[in-house]
Amino acid sequence: MLYRHKTLATAIVCVTLPVLLAALLALWPAMPAYAEDDPVTPNVAVITTTVKLASTTAFINAPVTLTVGTASVSSLGFRLDYDQSCLSIADVDADVSLFLASGFAGSKANNPTEGKLDISVWWGPNDPPVGTLDDGEIVNIKFMLEPGCRNAITDVVDAAFTFSNVTFADQSSAPVEGAAYGGVYHLDVNQFPTDVTLTRDNDGAKENIDTFRKVGGLDATDVDSEDEHSFSLVSTCTSGAWDNQGFVISGSDLKTNLIFDYETKSSYSVCVEANDGRGGVLAKVVSFNVVDVNEAPTMISLDNNLVVVGTKASGDVVGAFTTTDPDNGQTHTYSLVSGAGDTDNGSFTIDGSNLKLAFNPVYNPAKPIYKIRVETKDNGDGELTLAQQFNIIVVGKPTLSLPTHPDVPYVIAESIPVTLPINFSALGNTILSATMSITYNSDCLTYTTSSGWQSGTSGGATEDSGEIEVQITSAGNALRDGAIGYLSFTGKSSCVGVNSWTLLNFIGTPDLRTTGNLQVTPATPTNGKLVVVKSAPRGDCNSDGAVNAGDFTATAREIWDESSELEDVTPRLPNKSWLWTPLGAYSGSAMGCDSNVDRYIDIADLVCTVRRYFGAASCSSVAAAVSQLPVISAPSAVLANADTVVELPIHLETKGRDVAAIAFTVNFDPEKLLLDDTDADQDGVPDMISLNAPASMMQMVMVESEQGRIDVMASGVMPPLPLFSDGVIANIRLTGSGQASNTLAPMTLTNVSLGDAEGSSMQAEVVMLTPEGTTPGIFLPLVTR
């Protein structure tokens, strides 16, 4: 009996590489019988088989089996031819094992050049009985694998074994007919894995997850489909970038506890090694993309929230919204929504991303801020939203102005300087500095100094050839409404009369700046006016240096010189302001004509001029207040017929007051009524007008028929001044025009002025009476003023 099992175990123990043990055992060839199922003749055989080799396998074992059949075999010999380009025997003594039963001997010889191994087995003792061989493994050969068999193997390599010189003998050494069966070893060398892949776990690879989780499953591509692979993180990848920090491998699962943020880092790469357990490894960088999760917007921005009145109207764009969103590439919609800060949602609309006005803004210091609440919605999964409050600030264009109507300042020529404010209104803006240029008429004015800059500011002015350069800068606080500084001038006596109204003009647009030196567009600055008043005695209306009878007429003319008023000025000075006197058809002296120093030119100034002529030092500008005022009344309409004369009575009720002078204007419809201005007695009053005034009074009537205007004035000019009595003080006879046909023509009474004997202005009550039906001469009160 052959002791092949014991010998085999010994051979296995000699394998020094543990990793090959399983492969060797698995690849040990079986021992099927060649020839017939029940062989009669003996044979030796190398069994054809596939030998799977680990990548690190250096040798294989090839057994030769003996089958004796029914014969008695006591000796045998054979030559085994092998492929010496693939296989080699390193040490024939050590690597070729004969499995012989007790009493048998053998020999072995190897020809490595030709790849031939000679084996002989015989009965060893000389004395009988001669033993016989049993079925079983007779030889085991350890072949070393040549490089051509185990390096860069991409397919199976066949190593063929053939027999020659096979002989069998029985116990008597007589030949026994036998056979030999060569075999082929299909050497299937283990292949390295060719690829490592990672299949992403969509849930585990999402951003913003803070748990330990699987992010993907690992797999290896290997031509050895039966190989089972293990995976590990290594640092041996030779191409690509990776970072294993934060990752572990459990089995074939790649896991992490990192919190991904897609917008910061959208993909990760790690270096993974796949090991097939049979010496085949592959290190490769594998990557996965983070799953982007829709995240809510974090902020809404509005690129402009300032509305300057006068630059935008209803329907105009205030500004454009943009949204800060963790998700790149998102688009957003905007809408006005209810909630905190939605007070003024109704005053605005949103068109796309544009915020528009739904009202015409007007600066209101009581409401400079409009509050709206805006929601943005993204286009991602779930359409996430964010709502935010915004303040829309409405400001006016800041203004700069110099004094003008109705507060025109004056300067007395060659006398006390006048100090003019530079007026400022921020209208909601925060102005920290202002620079401007102002021109003046150097023929009328002399610039003297600047002063009075607002506290907390530094300011100054320089002058050159009629141009003043002004600069003012805040030391911290914004410029306040009101005067930001003052300019002082003196007047020149050569500049009186029509030239005494001199202009103070801004050149271009002042430069106003706010925080960050940003320029703010102001409203068109308002230029100023100043009147140079000649120093003249009160009452010297004609400016001849003395109060005399000529001043009576001069004052009367100035009272009615309404052409001195600047019609294009709004707002305007009161019609009878003393400062109008340098202008118009008669340029009287402002100081002289304003005899009673009430800054108005009216009938009381004529009385006061008379008093000053006769030695009075002064007059009272306004009469003492009384409980009842004098009343002047007239019909509000008269009956007009073609070529028919109608009377228009003017009544005075003195109420016990001393009325020494009176003036008024009668206005009628010139298309229905006419005044015959014939003056046959040449007394200066048309014959169709009767004045019931004391004979010693100066009477004056001026008629402008085309305008339907009659100016009437009467005043005493010699003391003691005569007084008016109650009753009709004037009767005006008008003739109906060809267009008049028994209709009421309206009348008005304006410019009513009364003066007392002291030269003081008196307030009066004007009553317009309406006819009862169409009967002339019967009147009822209509308007009292």
Side-chain angles (χ1 to χ4, degrees):
M1 178 179 181
L2 297 178
Y3 295 91
R4 63 178 183 274
H5 298 296
K6 178 178 180 181
T7 306
L8 177 59
T10 302
I12 294 174
V13 171
C14 293
V15 177
T16 58
L17 296 176
V19 71
L20 302 178
L21 180 58
L24 285 173
L25 292 175
L27 299 179
W28 204 272
M31 296 181 296
Y34 278 76
E36 307 87 6
D37 290 338
D38 295 316
V40 176
T41 59
N43 65 76
V44 288
V46 174
I47 302 168
T48 294
T49 186
T50 297
V51 182
K52 290 187 175 296
L53 304 177
S55 302
T56 55
T57 300
F59 64 91
I60 64 170
N61 287 280
V64 178
T65 60
L66 170 66
T67 304
V68 296
T70 58
S72 295
V73 177
S74 295
S75 62
L76 62 87
F78 59 84
R79 173 172 288 173
L80 179 67
D81 295 302
Y82 59 90
D83 184 357
Q84 74 272 20
S85 66
C86 181
L87 306 175
S88 66
I89 298 173
D91 184 346
V92 69
D93 294 328
D95 295 337
V96 178
S97 301
L98 298 177
F99 300 137
L100 303 176
S102 178
F104 284 88
S107 67
K108 47 193 176 182
N110 181 43
N111 183 349
T113 302
E114 297 181 4
K116 298 180 183 297
L117 175 66
D118 293 323
I119 300 295
S120 296
V121 177
W122 65 91
W123 175 252
N126 293 323
D127 52 335
V130 177
T132 59
L133 296 173
D134 292 333
D135 293 348
E137 185 176 317
I138 191 69
V139 179
N140 185 276
I141 309 155
K142 177 181 177 182
F143 285 104
M144 303 302 296
L145 298 177
E146 293 300 308
C149 283
R150 57 187 176 87
N151 288 351
I153 294 300
T154 58
D155 203 350
V156 175
V157 175
D158 289 338
F161 297 94
T162 60
F163 289 94
S164 63
N165 302 331
V166 180
T167 60
F168 297 94
D170 60 14
Q171 291 169 308
S172 62
S173 298
V176 176
E177 184 179 356
Y181 301 98
V184 178
Y185 270 34
H186 305 291
L187 301 179
D188 187 0
V189 179
N190 179 49
Q191 304 296 299
F192 280 68
T194 57
D195 195 13
V196 181
T197 58
L198 176 68
T199 302
R200 185 182 69 180
D201 184 290
N202 289 337
D203 289 334
K206 289 180 179 178
E207 63 177 328
N208 305 326
I209 300 177
D210 59 358
T211 58
F212 184 71
R213 64 204 181 278
K214 173 184 175 181
V215 295
L218 295 164
D219 194 13
T221 301
D222 198 322
V223 296
D224 299 318
S225 59
E226 71 278 9
D227 284 354
E228 294 183 1
H229 299 85
S230 62
F231 302 93
S232 60
L233 294 171
V234 294
S235 58
T236 55
C237 294
T238 57
S239 63
W242 75 91
D243 184 1
N244 294 347
Q245 185 67 35
F247 293 92
V248 296
I249 292 178
S250 176
S252 61
D253 294 337
L254 180 65
K255 296 185 175 181
T256 189
N257 60 357
L258 295 177
I259 301 174
F260 300 143
D261 181 356
Y262 179 86
E263 288 68 36
T264 302
K265 185 175 176 64
S266 62
S267 66
Y268 287 83
S269 299
V270 293
C271 181
V272 176
E273 180 182 87
N275 190 323
D276 62 10
R278 297 198 298 128
V281 296
L282 173 65
K284 184 183 177 185
V285 175
V286 296
S287 304
F288 67 93
N289 292 325
V290 175
V291 177
D292 187 15
V293 175
N294 187 32
E295 298 167 276
T298 58
M299 185 173 70
I300 310 172
S301 299
L302 179 61
D303 64 2
N304 178 63
N305 71 331
L306 184 68
V307 176
V308 180
V309 172
T311 64
K312 294 183 183 297
S314 180
D316 288 345
V317 174
V318 176
F321 291 110
T322 54
T323 299
T324 301
D325 195 313
D327 302 308
N328 297 326
Q330 291 274 23
T331 59
H332 299 83
T333 58
Y334 303 90
S335 59
L336 294 163
V337 295
S338 300
D342 66 352
T343 308
D344 301 299
N345 280 9
S347 297
F348 298 86
T349 61
I350 293 180
D351 182 7
S353 61
N354 291 326
L355 178 67
K356 291 185 175 182
L357 292 168
F359 71 108
N360 291 315
V362 177
Y363 177 67
N364 179 3
K367 186 176 176 58
I369 297 176
Y370 290 76
K371 297 181 180 296
I372 60 173
R373 186 173 181 82
V374 176
E375 180 183 84
T376 183
K377 179 185 294 184
D378 67 24
N379 66 336
D381 295 339
E383 296 186 326
L384 302 180
T385 63
L386 171 69
Q388 192 172 317
Q389 177 191 329
F390 290 89
N391 292 338
I392 310 303
I393 302 172
V394 176
V395 300
K397 287 186 177 181
T399 63
L400 283 166
S401 63
L402 296 169
T404 184
H405 306 281
D407 299 316
V408 177
Y410 69 94
V411 57
I412 300 174
E414 312 299 345
S415 184
I416 302 173
V418 63
T419 300
L420 306 178
I422 304 173
N423 295 312
F424 168 75
S425 179
L427 297 182
N429 296 275
T430 303
I431 305 300
L432 299 179
S433 66
T435 302
M436 66 207 75
S437 297
I438 299 170
T439 61
Y440 66 96
N441 184 358
S442 58
D443 293 334
C444 290
L445 300 174
T446 299
Y447 170 73
T448 58
T449 187
S450 62
S451 61
W453 305 110
Q454 282 188 3
S455 61
T457 65
S458 59
T462 57
E463 190 275 344
D464 182 23
S465 302
E467 182 175 330
I468 304 171
E469 188 74 18
V470 177
Q471 289 185 326
I472 180 169
T473 303
S474 170
N477 296 324
L479 298 182
R480 301 181 297 278
D481 290 354
I484 59 174
Y486 295 84
L487 305 176
S488 296
F489 299 88
T490 56
K492 298 180 179 180
S493 58
S494 58
C495 184
V496 292
V498 294
N499 295 322
S500 64
W501 281 73
T502 183
L503 303 178
L504 301 163
N505 292 339
F506 289 95
I507 300 177
T509 302
D511 185 9
L512 305 180
R513 294 183 181 268
T514 184
T515 305
N517 201 36
L518 298 177
Q519 190 173 39
V520 177
T521 302
T524 301
T526 303
N527 295 324
K529 288 184 175 66
L530 185 147
V531 179
V532 180
V533 176
K534 184 177 180 180
S535 181
R538 296 290 180 173
D540 184 14
C541 188
N542 60 10
S543 299
D544 62 0
V547 179
N548 49 44
D551 293 310
F552 300 164
T553 305
T555 303
R557 293 190 63 183
E558 194 61 69
I559 290 172
W560 299 115
D561 189 12
E562 291 192 359
S563 63
S564 65
E565 300 168 4
L566 302 178
E567 296 296 337
D568 59 343
V569 175
T570 303
R572 52 189 293 115
L573 290 170
N575 289 346
K576 297 301 180 180
S577 171
W578 69 307
L579 295 180
W580 290 123
T581 54
L583 303 177
Y586 181 79
S587 301
S589 165
M591 292 187 67
C593 296
D594 184 21
S595 182
N596 63 2
V597 198
D598 66 353
R599 299 196 177 187
Y600 289 91
I601 306 298
D602 56 20
I603 194 63
D605 288 302
L606 178 56
V607 176
C608 184
T609 299
V610 172
R611 286 177 54 80
R612 287 181 183 277
Y613 174 76
F614 287 104
S618 63
C619 308
S620 298
S621 60
V622 180
V626 295
S627 58
Q628 288 187 309
L629 301 178
V631 177
I632 293 181
S633 58
S636 64
V638 295
L639 188 63
N641 284 297
D643 301 322
T644 301
V645 176
V646 61
E647 293 189 354
L648 177 65
I650 311 298
H651 293 260
L652 170 66
E653 186 178 358
T654 63
K655 298 293 185 178
R657 304 293 303 284
D658 293 337
V659 179
I662 190 168
F664 55 85
T665 298
V666 175
N667 304 283
F668 60 90
D669 185 354
E671 294 184 356
K672 296 181 180 179
L673 296 171
L674 304 173
L675 175 66
D676 182 358
D677 58 0
T678 302
D679 183 10
D681 56 5
Q682 297 184 351
D683 62 354
V685 178
D687 298 336
M688 298 299 285
I689 299 177
S690 300
L691 299 181
N692 299 324
S696 60
M697 283 189 172
M698 179 178 70
Q699 301 178 25
M700 182 180 290
V701 174
M702 294 187 294
V703 178
E704 297 180 14
S705 297
E706 293 182 358
Q707 284 75 36
R709 173 174 174 153
I710 304 170
D711 296 325
V712 179
M713 182 187 70
S715 173
V717 292
M718 294 213 31
L721 294 175
L723 303 176
F724 282 95
S725 300
D726 290 352
V728 177
I729 57 172
N731 191 35
I732 301 172
R733 294 182 294 280
L734 301 170
T735 303
S737 69
Q739 301 179 24
S741 179
N742 199 37
T743 59
L744 289 175
M747 313 292 296
T748 59
L749 200 61
T750 59
N751 297 331
V752 175
S753 174
L754 304 181
D756 64 12
E758 301 299 323
S760 302
S761 297
M762 300 175 62
Q763 291 183 327
E765 183 178 358
V766 179
V767 177
M768 301 304 296
L769 305 171
T770 183
E772 183 176 2
T774 58
T775 303
I778 302 177
F779 300 99
L780 296 175
L782 174 65
V783 178
T784 300
R785 55 184 178 175

